[in-house]
Amino acid sequence: MTAPNRLPDRLLPLQAAILEQINAHHIDVPMLPEVAGKVVRLTQDVDSDASELATLIQSDQTLAAHVMRIANSALYSPNSSLVSLQQASARLGMKLISEIALAASINSSLFNTPGYEEHIQYEIRCSLMTGLWAKEIARVSRRNVEAAFITGLLHAIGRPIAVQTALKVAAESNTTLDTAEVLALEDKFQRQIGVQVVEQWEMPRLVVDVVRFFDCYNDAGAARNQTMIAIAAEAFTHHFMSEQGDNNCISREELVSQVVLAELNLYRDEVLELLEKQDLVKSAMEAMTA
Amino acid sequence: MSNNNQYDMLIVGSGPAGQKAALHAAQSGSRVALIEKTRELGGSCVHRGTIPSKTLRENALRVKNMRMNAELANFELPEDVELATLINRLNDVLLAHDTYMRRQLERSSVELIHGRARFISSTEIEVITVAGEKFSLTGECIVIACGSHPHHPDNIAIDHEHLFDSDSVLSMMYLPKSLIVLGGGVIASEYASIFQALGVEVTMIDKYPLPLGFLDSDLTETFVNGFKHMGGTWLGETVVTRAYWNGFDAVIAETEDGRQIKGEKLLCAAGRIANVKELGIENANLKLNDRGLISVDENLQTNILGIYAAGDVIGPPSLASASMEQGRRAACNALDMPPGIMHNIIPTGIYSIPELSSVGLSETQAREQYGRVLVGVARFDEIARGQISGIQNGMLKIVCDPAGKKVLGVMIVGEGATELIHIGQMALLSDARVDLFVESIFNFPTLAEAYRAAALDIVHQRKKL
């Protein structure tokens, strides 16, 4: 799907209303019903494997982040900042994590994006793949692998929520939006919403900075390398997931020549070696989205 | 880069050895190119090893001291503190260091080339840039100073996420609850004790009975006792057969005797190997020795005329200080300049908690060489400064010849050891008698007084000869 370059003037009031929602911190973070259902089933199954649950939670950026947010709440982790599901499980125990996941899936509202379900699904898959590629890029660069996954996974957390918010505000103001306009609104507000979401979830500063400076990594200070990893990972995702003709489609040669990879000091042969991890990433994707 | 690709000296690697070689050669009027694979100057020493770990150590010491003085301040390190917080000044330190180095090299007209070097012949090097461009440079002489990287044993599944090497351990997002450290060398001892001081439950595992086997056992026992006193676990004479992430919540280290040791994270510090994988040394008719290093003669020249090597790539002592001197001397020898006297009296500093440092011969080495030797010991808890500072785990040892006069070596364990050692180094370099320490007046109260106390111990023994 492709967004137009410019939004029509008739949508100015709508944009102002979305901004108001952002500034008033009235953005909902829903969860996917499918995964939520799986979590419920898994936690009620006495024979279920705890690692299965962790994998499942990790497969969904919104659920994973939701679990992290609750795990980081004062109730469960006073004075602490949990940054990964692994850490959360080590610290709180899997039983509690299951309960948190269950509570999260029961108490969260669902995405309400009529007509855009496929688009949202695609974006969530892209985010998961970005997280997985970020891990591999971080591994090669000897950077923070753990942070790479979560920053890759959450770098575009604002997108589905921006679509939902745009549709909600449009409905409230009786404004009709076509697909291109919805996508343009998503593009316009996703970064602001994303930053706000990770800030509200009290994610570590590094995660917040990666989301905030994703479009300008040179301003990211200490988070520069981690931001570049997430950007590079997104490029890998665009190469493997975008279809010919999409705006985001990146050919193999374009991918290898990405400036951000050179900035990470990854030589061409190292990038080609990374590309060989395609099957590994694909398998992980399948495992997490099965 | 200049169009003229002919240089007096080509240097591969910008670590301590490469830098010093480049500066020395350039300042003597030679045309020098310094080829560095990464964007940053300084090599692993600056970016992944020495400087980052010492930055972490500073904060670990602060935490340890604040805990020791709980009655002064009710201090508690927050759970899950981010590692970035503990190396908070690192970026500033690295930036300052990089700026300083860059300026110094540019001022000396050293040409900096960012790219990967590969030998074409014994006088020609091909450089591949990160963007994939290629060009070649020739040099009258070449200094290989490309450093080393951590060795990854086949049975340790290092993934830089749960199982780390010493290059990646500081990329951890948060301070783990527990850490398994494999190895008993300098890096293992430093990180194990630093993390333990930060409150991480550290289990250090090695196949030898004590860590830091090149030091006398009384020093290493003092180190181990200090480590245990902080709450660490030392498992000596334990062979790890396999270590892996269990896929869910723990790293498992399996031992030969059937134990399974669990930890949240693992650091493997199993030695370092030369960074020559991409260098194509065979094209220059060079090859690695059986230790995976480049062999050099006393002039730091390889078996190929005009090709020199310095720093970690030639093996021990693998100290930044020694590497700098090797780099300087390699440049001198390559350019037929007198390098001056090469002092083999280089101190060894281990930045663990507590610190260890030695210079000259250890007691063990001295006994092998001289038979009976006299040894004087001073314990820091018997010195006023040690009592004031609460330094319980510390000692200074002077080793003398059989007559009890000539100083052969000094070994120190305890906070401040790496600074304190230089007094012993100067004594060795000036061939001083042990009596110098007895006759000298030291500031009071200082740890330096331990020299006097240890020297007196030898003088008393000497009287009984």
Side-chain angles (χ1 to χ4, degrees):
Chain A
M1 295 197 194
T2 306
N5 291 329
R6 195 174 169 277
L7 283 156
D9 288 347
R10 73 178 181 86
L11 294 182
L12 285 172
L14 187 85
Q15 291 179 63
I18 293 172
L19 262 178
E20 201 179 311
Q21 291 248 337
I22 292 169
N23 295 336
H25 294 264
H26 283 165
I27 305 294
D28 293 328
V29 183
M31 290 187 359
L32 287 177
E34 191 187 334
V35 178
K38 281 184 184 176
V39 168
V40 172
R41 281 195 296 279
L42 261 180
T43 49
Q44 288 175 340
D45 180 2
V46 288
D47 297 324
S48 72
D49 180 3
S51 62
E52 216 179 320
L53 183 63
T55 306
L56 176 63
I57 293 170
Q58 210 166 33
S59 73
D60 181 336
Q61 60 169 338
T62 44
L63 179 58
H66 211 89
V67 168
M68 290 302 300
R69 179 169 65 91
I70 296 171
N72 269 317
S73 69
L75 176 66
Y76 292 112
S77 311
N79 309 321
S80 80
S81 176
L82 301 166
V83 295
S84 70
L85 285 166
Q86 178 224 329
Q87 186 197 11
S89 61
R91 189 80 57 195
L92 306 175
M94 208 52 219
K95 188 176 176 295
L96 187 53
I97 290 291
S98 309
E99 288 170 4
I100 290 171
L102 187 60
S105 55
I106 288 169
N107 293 331
S108 297
S109 55
L110 305 176
F111 279 129
N112 187 14
T113 53
Y116 292 88
E117 293 86 353
E118 256 184 61
H119 172 64
I120 301 295
Q121 283 281 9
Y122 172 79
E123 284 186 336
I124 285 166
R125 283 207 316 278
C126 281
S127 289
L128 176 59
M129 187 177 262
T130 303
L132 293 167
W133 274 117
K135 276 175 87 160
E136 297 312 319
I137 295 165
R139 236 187 279 281
V140 170
S141 317
R142 306 279 175 88
R143 306 279 177 198
N144 190 323
V145 178
E146 203 165 39
F149 180 74
I150 199 159
T151 50
L153 193 71
L154 296 179
H155 81 282
I157 188 66
R159 285 193 172 277
I161 304 163
V163 171
Q164 179 178 281
T165 308
L167 294 174
K168 185 180 152 199
V169 173
E172 285 166 356
S173 60
N174 286 323
T175 309
T176 309
L177 295 173
D178 63 26
T179 300
E181 288 166 342
V182 169
L183 298 184
L185 288 166
E186 176 192 333
D187 273 352
K188 187 176 170 103
F189 293 110
Q190 59 97 5
R191 189 70 58 216
Q192 277 171 285
I193 290 173
V195 170
Q196 197 174 95
V197 168
V198 288
E199 271 181 343
Q200 277 180 17
W201 288 346
E202 294 177 344
M203 285 284 157
R205 168 112 191 249
L206 181 67
V207 177
V208 176
D209 283 350
V210 169
V211 178
R212 188 192 306 278
F213 295 107
F214 196 84
D215 301 320
C216 47
Y217 61 81
N218 281 323
D219 299 335
R224 186 173 179 268
N225 278 319
Q226 215 65 39
T227 309
M228 289 196 296
I229 286 169
I231 293 165
E234 193 191 55
F236 272 73
T237 298
H238 286 327
H239 170 65
F240 285 107
M241 280 188 69
S242 298
E243 310 240 323
Q244 205 69 39
D246 280 3
N247 271 0
N248 292 330
C249 191
I250 294 179
S251 70
R252 188 180 171 91
E253 190 45 45
E254 285 170 333
L255 176 65
V256 173
S257 308
Q258 289 283 308
V259 172
V260 74
L261 293 170
E263 286 283 333
L264 281 165
N265 212 60
L266 290 171
Y267 286 75
R268 290 174 83 89
D269 59 315
E270 289 170 325
V271 177
L272 294 174
E273 266 179 52
L274 259 171
L275 281 164
E276 285 172 20
K277 295 191 183 289
Q278 177 187 352
D279 290 343
L280 183 84
V281 171
K282 199 176 160 194
S283 302
M285 276 286 285
E286 283 166 3
M288 285 185 163
T289 54
Chain B
M1 202 192 72
S2 131
N3 288 331
N4 178 1
N5 66 357
Q6 176 73 43
Y7 293 85
D8 297 318
M9 185 182 283
L10 298 176
I11 296 157
V12 182
S14 72
Q19 258 181 72
K20 290 294 178 248
L23 284 169
H24 207 72
Q27 283 162 3
S28 70
S30 300
R31 185 162 185 246
V32 180
L34 178 62
I35 307 158
E36 170 55 55
K37 181 186 160 179
T38 65
R39 284 184 183 282
E40 307 88 8
L41 297 173
S44 287
C45 160
V46 172
H47 297 280
R48 298 193 188 275
T50 312
I51 289 180
S53 65
K54 278 28 157 202
T55 311
L56 178 67
R57 186 182 183 276
E58 282 300 308
N59 276 326
L61 269 180
R62 286 189 188 108
V63 168
K64 181 175 177 266
N65 291 333
M66 283 192 280
R67 283 200 175 111
M68 263 172 65
N69 298 294
E71 65 273 20
L72 296 178
N74 190 13
F75 173 77
E76 206 174 303
L77 191 70
E79 257 191 68
D80 308 300
V81 66
E82 285 179 55
L83 216 57
T85 310
L86 293 165
I87 44 178
N88 51 356
R89 291 184 56 252
L90 182 60
N91 277 330
D92 296 340
V93 172
L94 293 183
L95 186 66
H97 204 80
D98 192 82
T99 307
Y100 163 75
M101 284 187 297
R102 213 168 278 276
R103 275 195 200 138
Q104 201 182 25
L105 290 163
E106 282 165 2
R107 210 173 32 234
S108 305
S109 304
V110 173
E111 227 171 287
L112 295 173
I113 296 166
H114 174 209
R116 205 195 257 163
R118 183 176 173 77
F119 277 101
I120 296 171
S121 70
S122 61
T123 55
E124 193 176 5
I125 280 179
E126 177 188 69
V127 177
I128 302 166
T129 70
V130 75
E133 295 156 10
K134 292 181 184 178
F135 52 88
S136 70
L137 310 171
T138 56
E140 288 291 313
C141 52
I142 294 171
V143 177
I144 302 169
C146 52
S148 63
H149 64 274
H151 169 55
H152 289 186
D154 292 340
N155 56 340
I156 314 293
I158 291 166
D159 58 4
H160 307 293
E161 185 176 8
H162 312 292
L163 293 90
F164 297 87
D165 63 21
S166 57
D167 275 4
S168 62
V169 68
L170 293 183
S171 75
M172 278 192 292
M173 186 83 179
Y174 56 90
L175 208 53
K177 206 176 172 70
S178 58
L179 177 74
I180 297 168
V181 177
L182 304 184
V186 173
I187 293 170
S189 303
E190 286 182 354
Y191 276 123
S193 59
I194 288 169
F195 279 110
Q196 187 58 55
L198 286 164
V200 177
E201 292 165 22
V202 179
T203 303
M204 197 174 170
I205 309 172
D206 195 38
K207 60 186 172 186
Y208 297 109
L210 283 168
L212 304 164
F214 56 91
L215 294 172
D216 290 335
S217 59
D218 50 356
L219 270 91
T220 51
E221 276 165 9
T222 305
F223 164 75
V224 170
N225 289 338
F227 176 61
K228 286 178 178 172
H229 183 74
M230 289 192 292
T233 304
W234 161 252
L235 298 178
E237 296 179 289
T238 303
V239 176
V240 171
T241 51
R242 184 174 163 232
Y244 57 95
W245 165 243
N246 73 355
F248 177 51
D249 70 344
V251 170
I252 311 286
E254 293 176 353
T255 65
E256 212 169 40
D257 55 10
R259 277 180 292 173
Q260 278 204 340
I261 294 139
K262 268 181 139 184
E264 191 179 335
K265 303 280 182 190
L266 178 143
L267 163 65
C268 175
R272 294 177 71 86
I273 49 176
N275 265 340
V276 293
K277 192 179 138 198
E278 298 140 355
L279 201 54
I281 57 170
E282 62 283 355
N283 298 333
N285 292 321
L286 279 168
K287 60 179 181 196
L288 295 178
N289 60 27
D290 52 10
R291 290 181 300 149
L293 304 163
I294 292 178
S295 297
V296 291
D297 61 17
E298 68 280 6
N299 294 319
L300 297 147
Q301 187 167 225
T302 65
N303 61 325
I304 303 299
L305 189 71
I307 301 183
Y308 294 76
D312 277 13
V313 78
I314 65 170
S318 296
L319 298 166
S321 51
S323 297
M324 288 179 202
E325 175 63 3
Q326 288 167 0
R328 188 190 70 80
R329 296 183 72 79
C332 285
N333 295 330
L335 299 169
D336 277 336
M337 297 189 300
I341 301 161
M342 172 66 171
H343 288 295
N344 53 6
I345 298 167
I346 300 171
T348 299
I350 298 152
Y351 295 84
S352 50
I353 297 175
E355 279 180 7
L356 296 111
S357 199
S358 72
V359 67
L361 297 179
S362 68
E363 184 182 344
T364 312
Q365 289 168 327
R367 287 193 192 286
E368 282 168 7
Q369 214 167 308
Y370 289 87
R372 191 174 167 278
V373 291
L374 295 192
V375 177
V377 173
R379 300 203 170 275
F380 285 175
D381 55 5
E382 296 165 359
I383 306 281
R385 179 82 238 183
Q387 290 157 0
I388 292 164
S389 304
I391 301 170
Q392 294 139 334
N393 290 301
M395 63 178 279
L396 182 146
K397 188 163 80 165
I398 300 174
V399 182
C400 272
D401 66 350
K405 290 181 180 175
K406 181 180 162 64
V407 178
L408 301 175
V410 176
M411 271 130 287
I412 310 170
V413 56
E415 216 37 60
T418 54
E419 295 286 355
L420 211 53
I421 200 70
H422 297 120
I423 296 173
Q425 184 189 9
M426 291 305 119
L428 282 164
L429 288 172
S430 55
D431 222 9
R433 284 164 47 117
V434 73
D435 302 68
L436 174 72
F437 296 124
V438 180
E439 292 154 5
S440 300
I441 307 298
F442 291 92
N443 274 332
F444 178 86
T446 57
L447 289 177
E449 278 192 295
Y451 275 102
R452 197 163 183 274
L456 275 169
D457 188 10
I458 288 171
V459 170
H460 290 316
Q461 291 175 57
R462 201 168 64 193
K463 286 174 183 168
K464 295 174 189 170
L465 288 176

